[in-house]
């Protein structure tokens, strides 16, 4: 449970930094996402999940 809270906290920190430091970049990214077909967004989402799982697994293997 502690690892999940740590991961969630880190995600919120990174997300918050993007919104705080580069709000116009967020708007540009949303516009690009709007122009992508739903299938491409779905694949992008699955790739993000897979990347996150790999990073969590690596962190666990390194003793986090």
């Amino acid at each position: 449970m502690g690892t999940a809270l740590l991961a969630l906290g880190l995600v919120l920190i990174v997300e918050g930094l993007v919104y705080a430091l580069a709000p116009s970049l967020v708007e540009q990214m949303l516009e690009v996402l709007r122009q992508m077909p739903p299938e491409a967004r779905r694949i992008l989402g699955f790739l993000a999940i897979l990347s996150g799982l790999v990073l969590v697994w690596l962190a666990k293997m390194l003793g986090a």
Side-chain angles (χ1 to χ4, degrees):
M1 181 69 176
T3 303
L5 289 175
L6 175 63
L8 182 59
L10 289 172
V11 167
L12 291 173
I13 289 170
V14 171
E15 290 270 339
L17 282 171
V18 172
Y19 283 107
L21 299 177
S24 61
L25 178 61
V26 173
E27 291 177 16
Q28 291 172 1
M29 289 172 31
L30 287 173
E31 185 58 38
V32 169
L33 284 172
R34 280 188 202 102
Q35 295 173 3
M36 291 176 70
E39 297 81 22
R41 289 185 299 224
R42 186 171 289 118
I43 291 170
L44 188 61
F46 283 129
L47 289 174
I49 291 169
L50 182 62
S51 300
L53 287 171
V54 168
L55 289 174
V56 168
W57 178 78
L58 282 172
K60 283 300 215 183
M61 291 295 111
L62 294 173

